[in-house]
Amino acid sequence: MRVRSFVLSCVMTFATSASALAQQSPWGLGLSVSKIDYDLSGTGSAPGFAVRASRDLTPHVGLEVRGLFARPEQQSGPAALFAPDLQLQYRWNIARFSPYVGGGVGFALIKSDFRTDWDATTSVAAGADVRLTERVGVFGEVRIRGFEWDFVGSTGEFSAGLTWVLPSF
């Protein structure tokens, strides 16, 4: 309970104390395909699809909202996995190349024919963005997600995709 309160406090502090730069920073959108290795109510690999939105809070710290969709095979048969999360990420900006690390919280919905589970999740990620133009880029990422606060299940995700920087309004 203390860990959850601490993480939520950190996320809220960073989100509400963004500088004037964050007000001018455009949103980025990303789409990716993933290979998901999972250990849930069954183990294996499954393809996945993720959508993300991100925004810089400072020149090196960003906030990302991401949703993963996959169809893992569980002991009770096929299931649907939806796992949105919120991450704070630290970026090193080296010309058009931006490696990053991040950590965050979220939840996961796992639905099969026989049951529906809602679980809290924690995640860590490492990856890199490469800007091809001012508005378009590619990225690769590794993300590890733990289910419930004591890691009763986990996923490892290997993702690659495209990003777009939206125009500022």
Side-chain angles (χ1 to χ4, degrees), residues 73-97:
E73 187 70 31
Q74 300 291 283
Q75 292 171 343
S76 60
L81 168 66
F82 172 59
D85 58 1
L86 178 70
Q87 271 200 356
L88 283 176
Q89 296 177 338
Y90 185 86
R91 297 183 172 279
W92 292 269
N93 299 312
I94 308 163
R96 293 182 174 268
F97 181 68

Side-chain angles (χ1 to χ4, degrees), residues 43-121:
T43 59
S45 294
F49 173 74
V51 177
R52 73 180 188 172
S54 59
R55 187 171 195 172
D56 291 336
L57 300 177
T58 72
H60 293 285
V61 176
L63 181 67
E64 178 188 83
V65 179
R66 182 176 180 267
L68 169 72
F69 308 91
R71 305 256 325 149
E73 187 70 31
Q74 300 291 283
Q75 292 171 343
S76 60
L81 168 66
F82 172 59
D85 58 1
L86 178 70
Q87 271 200 356
L88 283 176
Q89 296 177 338
Y90 185 86
R91 297 183 172 279
W92 292 269
N93 299 312
I94 308 163
R96 293 182 174 268
F97 181 68
S98 296
Y100 62 89
V101 294
V105 296
F107 68 89
L109 167 66
I110 303 171
K111 183 170 177 35
S112 68
D113 291 338
F114 299 102
R115 69 187 256 206
T116 300
D117 268 344
W118 290 88
D119 295 319
T121 62

Side-chain angles (χ1 to χ4, degrees), residues 1-2 13 30 33 44 48 52 59 64 66 83 85 124 127 146-150:
M1 188 66 156
R2 290 181 186 158
T13 300
V33 293
R52 73 180 188 172
E64 178 188 83
R66 182 176 180 267
D85 58 1
V124 295
F147 289 72
E148 298 187 22
W149 300 115
D150 54 355

